[in-house]
Amino acid sequence: MREADLFQESLDHIETYEKQICDKLLVEEIKGEMLLKLGRLKEASEVFKNLIDRNAENWCYYEGLEKALQLSTLEERLQIYEEISKQHPRAISPRRLPLNLVPGEKFRELVDKFLRANFSKGCPPLFTTLKSLYYNAEKISIIQELVTNYEASLKTCDFFSPYENGEKEPPTTLLWVQHFLAQHFDKLGQYSLALDYINAAIASTPTLIELFYMKAKIYKHIGNLKEAAKWMDEAQSLDTADRFVNSKCAKYMLRANMIKEAEEMCSKFTREGISAMENLNEMQCMWFQTECILAYQRLGRYGDALKKCHEVERDLLCSQPLSSLSSQDTCSHIEYLVQHSGWSAALSFQMDNRRKRATNAPLRQSSAALRCGVNRHHCSHADAVESHRHRSQHFFEITDDQFDFHTYCMRKMTLGAYVDLLRLEDKLRRHAFYFKAARSAIEIYLKLYDNPLTNESEQQEINAENLSAKELKKMLSKQRRAQKKAKLEEERKHAERERQQKNQKKKRDEEEEEASGLKEELIPEKLERTENPLQEAIKFLIPLKNLVADNIDTHLLAFEIYFRKVSNHSNLPDIVSKVLSQEMQKIFVNKDLESFNEDFLKHNATSLQHLLSGAKMMYFLDKSRQEKAITIATRLDETVKDKNVKTLIKVSEALLDGSFGNCNSQYEEYRMACHNLLPFTSAFLPGGNEVNSHTVALNHTANYNVLVNEI
C-alpha cells in the first residue's frame, strides 16, 4: 500500500494491527512517514521526537522532524538541535548535524566545542565523522587552524589553549589530536605532513593499532604499496585475533602483489587441513578473489587471473536469485543460459524451475524463449556447453537451497524482511564483484588477442640462434634450474591436492556424486592459450550488457571487443551507417577531428586526465606531433589541478604502453619530475632502486581501464 501511494490505507492498516506486529520500531517509522505524506505534521513531529528519544544517532529522524516542524530559518533549526542536545547530552548527532548548516564564525564556535569534547574523550572515528565537511574550503581551513593550535598548546601546557586554567588534559588527548592531523593532511594530499604527525603519535604510543593502520593508509595513498603492506602487517601483529585487521592486511598485500603472503595471512582464520586459497574459494570470499585477479593481472600471470575470474563467475551465477524472478527475468535467464551455458543448461533450468515453482505464466514465456533460443543458438554455442556445465550445476544447487529458505520465511511469516531479501537478491546480478572480475577477464582476453602468448619452446629456439656459446650455456643452465623448480612445485601441488581430497567428506549421495562429475577443472595454462580470446571475452560481456547497461564501462568494453572483432569497419549495414553519421554530426558540428580535439584541450586545460586523453588523440591522429602530444600529457605546472598519484601513474603508463610511440627518454624525464613531486611513490623511484619503476608503473593501476580506445 505504501508503494502504491495509498498512504491513508497504509496508516489505517498499521494502526489496526499495531499490537500484533513485533517490530515496534518499524511501526513508528512507517507511521511517521505516512503522517508526513498525509500532511498531518503535528502528529508526525511527535512520532519523530519519540523516535529520536529512542535513538538519537539516526540522522533520518532529524530530517523527518525538520520537515514536520517546517523550520524555515537557520536559528529555528539550531534551536531544535540545541534542545535535543540538552535532552541527550551524550548523543553526537545533535552536535554534529548543525556543522552542516552554519558558516564562518558560528561554525568555528560549534566545531571548537565538538572537537574538544571528542579529543578529550578519545574518539578514534572523529575524522570520519567530520570528513563530509571537507567539500568546503572555508571549513577545512577553520578545522586545520583549530587542531594545529590544539597540538601546539597541548605540547607546551597540556591545555587546548595556553590561556586556559583548570584541569589539564590527559596525555592521550595529544595522541588523538596528532592522529586526527595525520588523517586531515592525508585527505588534503599533503603526505609528508601526514607522515610527520603519525610518526610522532607512534613514537609516543607504539602499541596502538589505529596508528599503524593509519600509517599504512597514508603509504597506500602515496602509492608505495609495499610499505603500506609492511605497516599494515605491523598493525595486525599487535592483535592477531582481530579478523578485520587481518583481512585488511591481506588486502594490502594483494595490492602489493604479495599473493603468497596474503594467503598465509588469511590462513590464520580459515579451516585447518585445507589451503587458505581453497577454503576462501569454497566460502565465496569474493573480495579476496577479485583482489587476487588484479594482482595476477598486474604480474602478467593471465592464466591464474582468468581462473579466478571464472571462479567468481561461478559464485555470482550460483548466487542468482531465481526464486524471486519475475516472468520477464525468468525469460532473460533462459536467454542468458542459452547464450552463456548452452541450450541443454537452459532446458535443465526450465525443468527445475517447473518442478520447484509451479507457476504458469513465467513458464509459458520461458518455454517460448527456450524454443526460439534453442533454434537460434544451438549451432553457434554448442561448443560452449561442456565448458560451462559446471556453472549450471552450481546454479541448480544454490537454487535448491534458496527454495528451502523461501519456504522457511513464509512459514515463519517474516514477510517484511523477506521482501527486502528478494529485492536484494535481484540486485546481486549487478554486483560490483562480478563487474570487476568480468572487466579484468575482458581486459586480459583483449590483451591476449592483441599480443598472443608465444610457444615457450619456439621462443627459446629463436633466442638460442642469437646467443654466443657462453650465453647459450648460461641460458640452458637457467632453464634446467627453472624446470627443477617447476617440478618441485608441481609435486608440492600434487601432494596438496591429495591431502585436500582426503579431508573432503567421505559420504556423498548419488546426486552430489553426479554433480561433481560435471565440474570441469580450470587450468590456467589452458585458459591463457585459448584459440578465440574475443569469443571468451564476449561470454563475460553478455551479462554486463544485460544487467549493467547503465554503466559506461560496459559499453566501452563492448566497443573494444567488437572493434577488434569486425574486420571491415567500412562495410556496415546502411541503417548503422546512417545512425552513426547523424550522431557524429551532432557531436562534431561540422568540425574535423583535429579541430574538435584542439577545442577539447583548450576547454580542459587545467585537468591532467583530460589533457592525457587529448594528447593521446593528438598522437593518434598525427604521429608527427609526438613531441607536442607528450609535452601536453606531461605538464606538471601549477595550473594543473589533479596532480595526484593515480593520475600521474596513468600518464607514466601511457608513456610506456605505446600510446605515444617510442618515448623512453621522455618517460625517464617525467619519472624524475614525478619523483621530485612524490618522493615516496614506488612507481617513480629511480631504476637502481629495488623496485623496478617500469614494472610498477605498468602494473600499478590495473583497475583503471587502460584498454579503452581514446576515440
Side-chain angles (χ1 to χ4, degrees):
M1 286 187 282
R2 288 156 58 202
E3 293 176 4
D5 292 342
L6 301 174
F7 305 130
Q8 185 61 54
E9 291 83 347
S10 176
L11 182 61
D12 293 341
H13 181 85
I14 205 76
E15 289 177 343
T16 302
Y17 297 101
E18 182 175 354
K19 293 182 180 179
Q20 284 89 346
I21 300 173
C22 298
D23 192 344
K24 302 302 181 184
L25 178 63
L26 182 60
V27 168
E28 292 299 310
E29 290 175 346
I30 293 174
K31 286 171 67 175
E33 180 187 350
M34 294 302 100
L35 289 168
L36 271 181
K37 297 281 188 181
L38 293 169
R40 294 160 61 176
L41 301 181
K42 185 175 181 180
E43 296 171 74
S45 66
E46 293 301 321
V47 171
F48 283 110
K49 285 179 181 178
N50 292 334
L51 286 170
I52 290 172
D53 290 338
R54 183 166 183 162
N55 179 8
E57 302 297 350
N58 191 320
W59 288 20
C60 295
Y61 299 161
Y62 294 95
E63 182 182 354
L65 181 60
E66 284 193 29
K67 289 180 181 178
L69 295 175
Q70 292 185 312
L71 304 175
S72 56
T73 65
L74 177 61
E75 289 73 18
E76 290 176 345
R77 299 172 76 181
L78 293 178
Q79 184 180 355
I80 287 295
Y81 285 109
E82 187 176 351
E83 290 174 1
I84 296 173
S85 295
K86 291 177 181 178
Q87 295 171 8
H88 305 279
R90 301 184 63 180
I92 294 175
S93 294
R95 292 169 176 79
R96 166 63 185 84
L97 288 171
L99 300 179
N100 296 336
L101 309 175
V102 295
E105 289 303 314
K106 186 63 176 178
F107 174 79
R108 180 188 293 273
E109 177 190 339
L110 294 180
V111 79
D112 185 25
K113 294 178 182 177
F114 187 81
L115 288 169
R116 290 180 183 226
N118 283 280
F119 283 139
S120 297
K121 186 169 60 175
C123 181
L126 176 59
F127 180 79
T128 304
T129 306
L130 295 176
K131 189 165 61 174
S132 58
L133 298 172
Y134 274 58
Y135 69 92
N136 188 310
E138 181 191 25
K139 293 182 178 181
I140 293 173
S141 177
I142 291 172
I143 291 172
Q144 180 172 316
E145 181 185 345
L146 287 172
V147 182
T148 50
N149 288 339
Y150 295 161
E151 198 243 355
S153 180
L154 286 166
K155 279 183 175 180
T156 57
C157 61
D158 294 331
F159 289 107
F160 284 112
S161 170
Y163 308 107
E164 292 180 5
N165 293 315
E167 188 177 350
K168 292 185 176 182
E169 293 294 327
T172 54
T173 303
L174 176 60
L175 171 71
W176 293 118
V177 167
Q178 291 172 333
H179 180 247
F180 182 93
L181 285 170
Q183 296 175 86
H184 169 83
F185 287 111
D186 176 60
K187 174 72 174 176
L188 299 181
Q190 300 180 35
Y191 302 118
S192 296
L193 274 174
L195 284 173
D196 289 342
Y197 281 111
I198 202 66
N199 286 334
I202 290 174
S204 66
T205 312
T207 56
L208 187 62
I209 295 176
E210 284 83 353
L211 303 180
F212 294 96
Y213 180 92
M214 187 60 219
K215 187 169 183 177
K217 201 171 183 179
I218 294 169
Y219 273 110
K220 182 190 76 170
H221 294 158
I222 288 174
N224 194 332
L225 299 178
K226 294 278 187 183
E227 195 71 13
K230 168 190 166 185
W231 288 107
M232 190 58 77
D233 188 26
E234 187 73 21
Q236 185 274 333
S237 67
L238 295 175
D239 186 0
T240 56
D242 191 323
R243 190 164 190 162
F244 170 78
V245 180
N246 178 279
S247 298
K248 273 291 183 182
C249 185
K251 190 171 185 178
Y252 273 54
M253 288 176 170
L254 289 172
R255 294 278 176 90
N257 302 333
M258 302 162 63
I259 299 172
K260 185 178 179 182
E261 292 85 347
E263 185 180 356
E264 291 174 355
M265 181 62 61
C266 287
S267 66
K268 297 177 182 179
F269 287 93
T270 55
R271 192 170 70 243
E272 294 183 4
I274 185 172
S275 70
M277 189 74 77
E278 184 72 20
N279 187 228
L280 291 167
N281 181 35
E282 181 184 330
M283 293 190 299
Q284 299 181 357
C285 185
M286 293 192 195
W287 70 262
F288 185 85
Q289 290 181 312
T290 50
E291 291 297 335
C292 277
I293 290 168
L294 296 173
Y296 284 132
Q297 187 178 358
R298 289 190 292 266
L299 292 170
R301 294 170 59 178
Y302 300 129
D304 292 311
L306 289 172
K307 179 181 178 182
K308 285 289 175 189
C309 289
H310 283 280
E311 288 174 352
V312 171
E313 184 191 27
R314 289 180 181 181
D315 292 343
L316 264 295
L317 209 57
C318 290
S319 301
Q320 190 56 45
L322 295 177
S323 53
S324 64
L325 296 180
S326 65
S327 59
Q328 183 179 357
D329 291 332
T330 305
C331 188
S332 298
H333 271 285
I334 294 287
E335 289 284 355
Y336 172 74
L337 283 174
V338 168
Q339 294 179 9
H340 205 62
S341 301
W343 61 269
S344 62
L347 182 60
S348 298
F349 162 65
Q350 187 200 7
M351 294 176 65
D352 186 73
N353 198 23
R354 185 190 300 275
R355 174 173 60 85
K356 291 286 186 179
R357 296 182 63 174
T359 56
N360 297 322
L363 292 176
R364 286 197 295 271
Q365 295 186 28
S366 61
S367 297
L370 181 59
R371 287 195 296 273
C372 296
V374 168
N375 294 331
R376 185 167 70 252
H377 296 289
H378 178 103
C379 296
S380 59
H381 291 277
D383 57 336
V385 173
E386 286 300 319
S387 63
H388 296 281
R389 288 177 68 195
H390 56 274
R391 297 175 197 163
S392 302
Q393 183 59 44
H394 279 280
F395 195 85
F396 299 143
E397 289 174 1
I398 299 298
T399 303
D400 289 339
D401 294 339
Q402 287 180 355
F403 279 114
D404 294 337
F405 181 70
H406 297 329
T407 307
Y408 169 83
C409 286
M410 296 299 292
R411 190 170 66 250
K412 293 295 183 181
M413 295 301 290
T414 55
L415 300 183
Y418 181 51
V419 172
D420 292 338
L421 173 66
L422 295 180
R423 288 174 176 163
L424 174 64
E425 287 178 343
D426 287 338
K427 295 177 182 178
L428 285 176
R429 298 176 297 166
R430 303 164 54 87
H431 204 289
F433 284 137
Y434 180 79
F435 188 86
K436 288 180 182 179
R439 180 171 57 186
S440 290
I442 292 170
E443 289 175 356
I444 292 170
Y445 280 126
L446 290 172
K447 187 173 183 64
L448 293 174
Y449 177 83
D450 294 336
N451 303 289
L453 297 178
T454 57
N455 187 285
E456 190 174 349
S457 59
E458 291 179 2
Q459 187 64 37
Q460 290 174 358
E461 290 177 6
I462 294 171
N463 293 338
E465 293 175 0
N466 302 320
L467 297 177
S468 63
K470 184 177 180 181
E471 290 172 333
L472 180 60
K473 182 178 179 181
K474 185 177 180 180
M475 187 189 77
L476 293 173
S477 176
K478 186 177 179 180
Q479 289 175 2
R480 283 194 294 270
R481 290 197 301 271
Q483 289 172 358
K484 185 177 180 181
K485 184 178 179 181
K487 185 178 179 181
L488 291 172
E489 181 67 16
E490 184 60 34
E491 290 176 354
R492 186 189 68 79
K493 288 183 178 180
H494 181 70
E496 179 71 18
R497 281 196 296 268
E498 286 187 346
R499 185 169 64 83
Q500 291 173 11
Q501 290 173 359
K502 290 179 181 178
N503 288 303
Q504 290 176 351
K505 294 179 181 179
K506 295 181 180 179
K507 294 182 180 181
R508 299 177 182 270
D509 55 37
E510 294 181 0
E511 291 182 1
E512 288 177 330
E513 288 178 1
E514 252 183 66
S516 64
L518 290 173
K519 295 179 184 177
E520 180 181 331
E521 185 179 2
L522 298 170
I523 303 171
E525 293 77 11
K526 184 178 178 181
L527 291 171
E528 68 183 358
R529 295 184 184 276
T530 179
E531 295 181 359
N532 196 338
L534 293 183
Q535 193 62 35
E536 293 298 321
I538 288 173
K539 292 174 184 176
F540 280 92
L541 178 67
I542 288 172
L544 299 186
K545 287 169 62 180
N546 292 338
L547 308 171
V548 202
D550 57 347
N551 189 328
I552 185 63
D553 286 341
T554 297
H555 304 287
L556 294 174
L557 291 169
F559 168 79
E560 292 292 342
I561 294 172
Y562 292 112
F563 185 78
R564 290 163 172 79
K565 192 173 178 63
V566 179
S567 57
N568 186 357
H569 301 282
S570 61
N571 188 21
L572 294 172
D574 292 339
I575 186 64
V576 175
S577 299
K578 183 178 179 180
V579 171
L580 286 175
S581 299
Q582 291 176 352
E583 294 303 316
M584 290 180 72
Q585 178 64 28
K586 295 177 185 177
I587 296 172
F588 293 105
V589 193
N590 298 324
K591 292 181 181 179
D592 57 25
L593 296 177
E594 288 81 1
S595 300
F596 184 83
N597 192 52
E598 292 293 339
D599 290 344
F600 175 82
L601 288 169
K602 287 178 183 177
H603 292 143
N604 300 280
T606 60
S607 170
L608 187 55
Q609 293 194 64
H610 289 82
L611 292 174
L612 174 61
S613 297
K616 284 183 179 181
M617 181 53 60
M618 180 182 288
Y619 177 75
F620 179 82
L621 295 173
D622 186 356
K623 299 293 190 292
S624 65
R625 304 182 72 185
Q626 182 194 40
E627 285 297 327
K628 185 173 181 180
I630 293 174
T631 302
I632 292 172
T634 56
R635 276 181 54 190
L636 292 174
D637 54 78
E638 293 299 323
T639 60
V640 178
K641 295 178 181 178
D642 52 340
K643 296 194 294 290
N644 54 59
V645 173
K646 292 179 180 178
T647 308
L648 295 178
I649 289 176
K650 287 177 72 174
V651 176
S652 67
E653 287 175 345
L655 294 173
L656 289 173
D657 65 12
S659 297
F660 297 101
N662 188 0
C663 51
N664 289 333
S665 59
Q666 292 94 329
Y667 165 76
E668 189 58 29
E669 292 176 7
Y670 183 73
R671 184 200 60 75
M672 292 174 64
C674 291
H675 177 60
N676 293 332
L677 190 65
L678 299 167
F680 298 105
T681 303
S682 56
F684 304 130
L685 292 175
N689 192 284
E690 67 172 334
V691 180
N692 188 310
S693 59
H694 284 244
T695 304
V696 174
L698 281 174
N699 295 330
H700 197 277
T701 54
N703 52 337
Y704 291 93
N705 187 9
V706 298
L707 298 173
V708 174
N709 189 299
E710 293 298 331
I711 294 178

